[in-house]
Amino acid sequence: MNYYEPKFDEGAAALVASKYREGWVPSRILREMVTLYPDVSTLDLMELMQTAFNLPYPAVQCIGGWWMDGTGELSDTELDAFLIEEIAKVLPRCGRDGKGDSKQ
């Protein structure tokens, strides 16, 4: 049987969401999670972002094109643009500071 056990728990997802509300960009958040969990896989990171922001799978597929050392097809800036847009779709009324609509 091929069984996959997720690397992260609900506490990790809550930490990710909290860091995002504090203004951290997705690439910085993912880089921090890779530092804290060195054996984490791309699939783990995708599932973490799905859980943290209730994103659909297609919204996190871009993580597959990124890696923290810059070897991926996507740069930090490109990854951040994709994920921030997708997060905004599911949290349209929540500003980055978690206090509602924010004008930036």
Side-chain angles (χ1 to χ4, degrees):
M1 182 164 93
N2 199 4
Y3 177 73
Y4 174 77
E5 185 172 330
K7 174 70 66 185
F8 301 107
D9 60 14
E10 292 296 321
L15 175 65
V16 166
S18 173
K19 292 298 182 187
Y20 185 79
R21 285 190 305 274
E22 289 175 15
W24 288 33
V25 292
S27 61
R28 182 177 176 197
I29 294 167
L30 292 172
R31 188 172 279 106
E32 180 69 14
M33 297 311 287
V34 171
T35 300
L36 294 172
Y37 300 88
D39 61 340
V40 71
S41 71
T42 299
L43 179 60
D44 293 324
L45 295 173
M46 292 168 67
E47 289 182 357
L48 177 63
M49 294 301 276
Q50 278 186 280
T51 302
F53 301 106
N54 197 29
L55 294 171
Y57 180 75
V60 299
Q61 285 181 306
C62 59
I63 296 170
W66 173 89
W67 196 245
M68 68 180 279
D69 63 2
T71 59
E73 295 175 9
L74 296 179
S75 68
D76 286 357
T77 303
E78 292 167 320
L79 177 79
D80 294 338
F82 285 127
L83 288 176
I84 289 170
E85 181 178 340
E86 293 300 326
I87 293 167
K89 290 177 184 176
V90 297
L91 301 175
R93 290 169 283 164
C94 181
R96 292 292 302 257
D97 61 2
K99 297 177 182 172
D101 290 342
S102 65
K103 307 289 182 214
Q104 295 183 356

